[in-house]
Amino acid sequence: MSDQKQPNVRFAGFDDAWEPRKFFNNIKRTIDFRGRTPKKLGMEWSEKGHLALSALNVKNGYIDKSVNAHYADENLYQKWMTGNELEKGQVLFTTEAPMGNVAQIPDNEKYVLSQRTIAFEVLDNEITNDFLAVILSSKNVFNRLQTLSSGATAKGVSQKSLAQLLITVPNSLKEQTRIGIFFKSLDSLIAANQRQLEQLKTIKKLAMQKIFDQEWRFKGYTDPWELRKLDEVAEFKDNLRIPVTKSDRISGNIPYYGANGIQDYVKGYTHNGEFVLIAEDGANDVMNYPVHYVSGKVWVNNHAHVITGKNEVLDNLYLSSLIKSMNISSWLVGGGRAKLNGEILKKIPINLPTLDEQREIGTFFKGIDRLIAANQSKSEQLKKLKKWFMQNMFI
């Protein structure tokens, strides 16, 4: 353990040195039911009732109530948990598979403590629940637990291991409370942004379904859509090759596209213009065939089809959104790593509204994509910010 006595970042008004302690010097008792099952109690799980908490549904920072959902009726709960009832705010810790997930009891509901998860009852005059949850989640403590854990592949932590763990904490419960509140607020902000991001993705998915099924139309458009084969209204530029200059390679200013989107530069070819790029293969995962609208000069490797709509017939923004809305599984050929064959792609039927309506639709989805990208960027920035604070507010 480091000889450092204070973290790099602290709240104003707190300047006392932090104190190294044995982990269990902060814990009144550990609730550990590893190995206990309903069958061993002569009972069975129920279809509803009190949720069982295990290493599968206790995630970092929250409980996922949709994963591995097992329930105990009131009789099983009483037989399992009487005298060991969990309370709101109490810290949960997964001991293996995975090791080291930390969450807190989110509410006053009754829960059953199940496989590979333990709970801590803290000594209130030594440490707060919120601070314990945060420090157990810190990289420094996780690394120490890794060195104390057992198992060649699936690492696990026993109470014997935890007895050897040293943590460094502020003596002031007020400082612990400030730190706990700060990270709870940061986690709430991250969660709210993530919910907004998921809502935007849901809105986009619904809009794509409704618009391309022609259930929703923009005001003023009533003309019927026309069914055309893709190569009738688009040009395939897969074989177009513009030489790459030495300065282009060195500058790194031109984005490079492969089957999985923007990548580091490897051998490829440049295209200059407005295109829709479609991955040629996706390891048999129909959700792994990215589609990108690009404009300007780009490098594209041999694992992406390059398509552009014919002037005054097909809008490229519309085409990129249309293909994203389609289930491409019926177009794939070959075993193993299935391919999106160019000759098959050319013959797929697509629905075309008027060019003006295409542009309206393309611009609409471009706006949604910008919102999603902005929220995704904000989410990543918030997570990086939390990581920085976790690295600098603990010892």
Side-chain angles (χ1 to χ4, degrees):
M1 178 179 285
S2 169
D3 293 331
Q4 184 180 356
K5 299 300 182 184
Q6 295 192 33
N8 295 326
V9 175
R10 299 183 77 175
F11 286 105
F14 299 102
D15 53 17
D16 293 340
W18 284 28
E19 176 187 52
R21 300 179 187 170
K22 289 185 176 181
F23 177 75
F24 279 128
N25 286 354
N26 306 278
I27 305 300
K28 184 176 181 179
R29 70 179 181 130
T30 303
I31 304 173
D32 186 351
F33 292 137
R34 282 177 290 178
R36 180 173 292 186
T37 65
K39 286 187 177 181
K40 290 181 179 180
L41 295 174
M43 305 180 78
E44 298 287 344
W45 292 121
S46 301
E47 292 185 3
K48 59 182 181 178
H50 307 299
L51 181 67
L53 304 176
S54 73
L56 293 177
N57 58 18
V58 174
K59 307 294 185 181
N60 257 329
Y62 68 101
I63 294 168
D64 190 338
K65 296 184 179 183
S66 66
V67 174
N68 193 47
H70 293 293
Y71 299 93
D73 63 18
E74 187 63 26
N75 288 333
L76 178 57
Y77 174 83
Q78 293 296 336
K79 197 167 185 178
W80 193 310
M81 296 298 297
T82 296
N84 297 289
E85 294 83 359
L86 302 176
E87 298 179 357
K88 182 179 179 179
Q90 202 162 357
V91 177
L92 304 167
F93 180 82
T94 62
T95 57
E96 59 181 304
M99 184 270 286
N101 282 355
V102 181
Q104 292 177 262
I105 300 297
D107 47 42
N108 293 313
E109 297 293 324
K110 295 178 180 179
Y111 295 94
V112 168
L113 192 63
S114 189
Q115 295 296 309
R116 307 187 305 279
T117 298
I118 58 179
F120 302 111
E121 185 179 339
V122 300
L123 290 167
D124 292 332
N125 61 333
E126 297 291 344
I127 200 167
T128 68
N129 275 316
D130 290 348
F131 183 82
L132 176 63
V134 179
I135 198 170
L136 274 177
S137 303
S138 69
K139 188 67 173 177
N140 289 342
V141 169
F142 182 80
N143 288 341
R144 292 169 203 156
L145 286 171
Q146 284 278 71
T147 64
L148 296 172
S149 62
S150 59
T153 52
K155 292 286 187 178
V157 172
S158 64
Q159 289 199 47
K160 183 178 179 181
S161 300
L162 287 170
Q164 302 174 60
L165 175 65
L166 292 176
I167 58 174
T168 305
V169 303
N171 285 315
S172 167
L173 290 176
K174 287 185 178 180
E175 184 173 10
Q176 291 184 28
T177 299
R178 287 287 300 277
I179 293 170
I181 290 172
F182 172 75
F183 279 100
K184 269 189 174 296
S185 299
L186 189 53
D187 284 339
S188 295
L189 188 59
I190 291 170
N193 188 77
Q194 188 63 37
R195 285 194 298 271
Q196 187 175 19
L197 179 61
E198 294 306 316
Q199 287 169 357
L200 282 169
K201 290 179 178 179
T202 299
I203 290 170
K204 178 184 176 181
K205 183 178 180 181
L206 176 63
M208 292 185 98
Q209 177 186 336
K210 297 296 185 181
I211 287 175
F212 291 116
D213 285 347
Q214 302 176 53
E215 293 182 46
W216 290 353
R217 300 285 296 271
F218 286 98
K219 187 176 180 179
Y221 297 103
T222 57
D223 291 342
W225 290 23
E226 183 181 5
L227 193 63
R228 302 287 294 273
K229 292 180 180 177
L230 184 56
D231 66 351
E232 293 176 350
V233 293
E235 297 176 359
F236 281 68
K237 303 291 188 179
D238 293 13
N239 295 321
L240 176 65
R241 302 291 181 250
I242 302 173
V244 183
T245 67
K246 184 176 180 180
S247 62
D248 284 338
R249 287 195 183 96
I250 294 172
S251 70
N253 290 327
I254 303 176
Y256 174 78
Y257 283 83
N260 294 313
I262 296 179
Q263 303 173 348
D264 294 331
Y265 174 75
V266 295
K267 184 179 179 181
Y269 305 93
T270 59
H271 297 264
N272 196 1
E274 186 186 63
F275 304 100
V276 176
L277 307 180
I278 308 173
E280 182 185 24
D281 56 70
N284 284 339
D285 180 0
V286 296
M287 301 302 293
N288 191 29
Y289 284 77
V291 179
H292 296 276
Y293 165 84
V294 297
S295 180
K297 197 173 186 180
V298 295
W299 276 319
V300 183
N301 73 10
N302 291 330
H303 295 283
H305 298 295
V306 184
I307 307 170
T308 187
K310 292 181 179 179
N311 290 337
E312 303 306 316
V313 178
L314 176 60
D315 178 75
N316 285 309
L317 276 174
Y318 172 83
L319 177 62
S320 65
S321 294
L322 174 64
I323 294 177
K324 287 176 185 178
S325 74
M326 294 178 170
N327 182 348
I328 68 169
S329 58
S330 61
W331 309 342
L332 305 181
V333 296
R337 193 178 181 92
K339 299 287 185 180
L340 181 54
N341 184 277
E343 293 306 310
I344 293 177
L345 187 59
K346 290 177 181 179
K347 302 304 177 184
I348 67 166
I350 62 172
N351 274 312
L352 291 185
T354 64
L355 192 60
D356 285 344
E357 188 173 3
Q358 289 180 42
R359 288 169 177 159
E360 191 95 41
I361 293 170
T363 301
F364 171 76
F365 283 113
K366 184 178 181 180
I368 292 183
D369 285 340
R370 282 177 174 170
L371 283 174
I372 290 173
N375 275 267
Q376 186 69 56
S377 176
K378 182 179 178 182
S379 181
E380 291 169 359
Q381 290 170 3
L382 285 170
K383 289 175 182 177
K384 287 180 181 178
L385 184 64
K386 179 182 177 181
K387 182 179 179 181
W388 185 89
F389 278 118
M390 292 290 289
Q391 290 172 338
N392 287 276
M393 291 184 72
F394 298 94
I395 302 173

